[in-house]
Amino acid sequence: AQTVTQSQPEMSVQEAETVTLSCTYDTSENNYYLFWYKQPPSRQMILVIRQEAYKQQNATENRFSVNFQKAAKSFSLKISDSQLGDTAMYFCAFMNPFDINNDMRFGAGTRLTVKP
Amino acid sequence: DAGITQSPRHKVTETGTPVTLRCHQTENHRYMYWYRQDPGHGLRLIHYSYGVKDTDKGEVSDGYSVSRSKTEDFLLTLESATSSQTSVYFCAISESAVHEQYFGPGTRLTVT
């Protein structure tokens, strides 16, 4: 089974600075999808960004970008110009859409605090 | 935001009682999922559905059952609740197996 590891349980960053959250995964598949979800104190799970493994170009959504290293099985999230509203738990997730179980595997999460 | 609601949002129940959580969607998406969220584990899949009356087990399905009689509703039942089932439960939906999942607001369940 695929596993997802987030090695940083907690991180903090000063407002307006840049922070990178790490994620590694284990799979023998070649085609899959990776995601970052944000969970603010409201508890709502919000999709931040998505990356298809067959795409070499790193995904970007405004201040959020990823560094996808397929060979290293690494998928980090960079948040630029951090804002107070970025304070949240961040979950990395892996999905193999061709798996009969259609299972999305999540990491344990990284709690990010943006300090004023 | 995707039209997903969960009910109830909070529930406290006693060990051994049956509990049913409801997920309702207005997006007409084919796939629906139930996850539980526990500290240190992220989200883990309990059951999922790939169509009306079509369901299958996820990673942590023991002690749970599901039903989907309509496209818009996916029910999660704890036949006899145990303290280990105290958790936050999330419903999610997706258009297909290759699309991202969108989550409901969650239900906090406490089993005393």
Side-chain angles (χ1 to χ4, degrees):
Chain A
Q2 293 84 0
T3 59
V4 178
T5 302
Q6 293 179 248
S7 59
Q8 306 151 314
E10 294 188 17
M11 295 189 71
S12 63
V13 63
Q14 291 296 132
E15 192 175 9
E17 294 187 348
T18 295
V19 64
T20 298
L21 309 183
S22 301
C23 173
T24 59
Y25 56 93
D26 182 27
T27 184
S28 58
E29 301 295 331
N30 189 48
N31 294 316
Y32 48 86
Y33 298 83
L34 296 162
F35 306 87
W36 279 98
Y37 282 88
K38 168 185 176 181
Q39 187 179 42
S42 67
R43 205 171 65 197
Q44 180 73 47
M45 292 287 287
I46 303 166
L47 178 65
V48 175
I49 203 164
R50 160 191 169 128
Q51 174 80 43
E52 291 87 348
Y54 62 85
K55 291 185 178 180
Q56 294 185 339
Q57 186 172 4
N58 289 325
T60 299
E61 288 288 344
N62 300 315
R63 298 182 295 106
F64 298 87
S65 62
V66 298
N67 182 6
F68 174 47
Q69 301 289 331
K70 191 173 184 180
K73 298 179 182 177
S74 171
F75 183 60
S76 60
L77 174 70
K78 185 171 81 171
I79 306 174
S80 304
D81 186 24
S82 297
Q83 301 176 359
L84 297 179
D86 295 334
T87 291
M89 283 287 289
Y90 286 83
F91 293 96
C92 177
F94 171 100
M95 184 175 75
N96 174 8
F98 309 105
D99 184 341
I100 191 171
N101 289 324
N102 192 32
D103 199 347
M104 182 177 281
R105 297 285 174 148
F106 287 82
T110 295
R111 184 176 301 280
L112 176 67
T113 302
V114 180
K115 299 179 179 179
Chain B
D1 292 342
I4 313 168
T5 56
Q6 293 183 229
S7 58
R9 295 293 311 280
H10 299 88
K11 187 171 181 65
V12 180
T13 192
E14 293 184 350
T15 298
T17 60
V19 177
T20 296
L21 308 183
R22 179 182 183 237
C23 177
H24 179 77
Q25 60 143 331
T26 59
E27 304 297 319
N28 201 35
H29 283 358
R30 179 182 173 189
Y31 285 77
M32 299 185 76
Y33 311 82
W34 276 108
Y35 290 88
R36 61 178 289 173
Q37 183 179 24
D38 304 290
H41 290 280
L43 277 76
R44 293 178 293 175
L45 183 67
I46 304 171
H47 282 280
Y48 70 98
S49 169
Y50 47 96
V52 174
K53 299 191 188 303
D54 292 323
T55 65
D56 208 343
K57 297 178 180 180
E59 180 186 1
V60 291
S61 60
D62 288 348
Y64 302 95
S65 63
V66 290
S67 64
R68 191 169 179 198
S69 59
K70 298 184 291 184
T71 298
E72 57 266 35
D73 290 327
F74 192 33
L75 304 181
L76 176 71
T77 297
L78 291 65
E79 300 291 346
S80 178
T82 66
S83 58
S84 65
Q85 293 177 312
T86 292
S87 187
V88 179
Y89 291 85
F90 284 95
C91 173
I93 65 173
S94 68
E95 289 186 57
S96 74
V98 298
H99 284 84
E100 55 270 23
Q101 297 177 19
Y102 294 95
F103 287 80
T107 294
R108 181 176 295 279
L109 176 67
T110 302
V111 184
T112 61

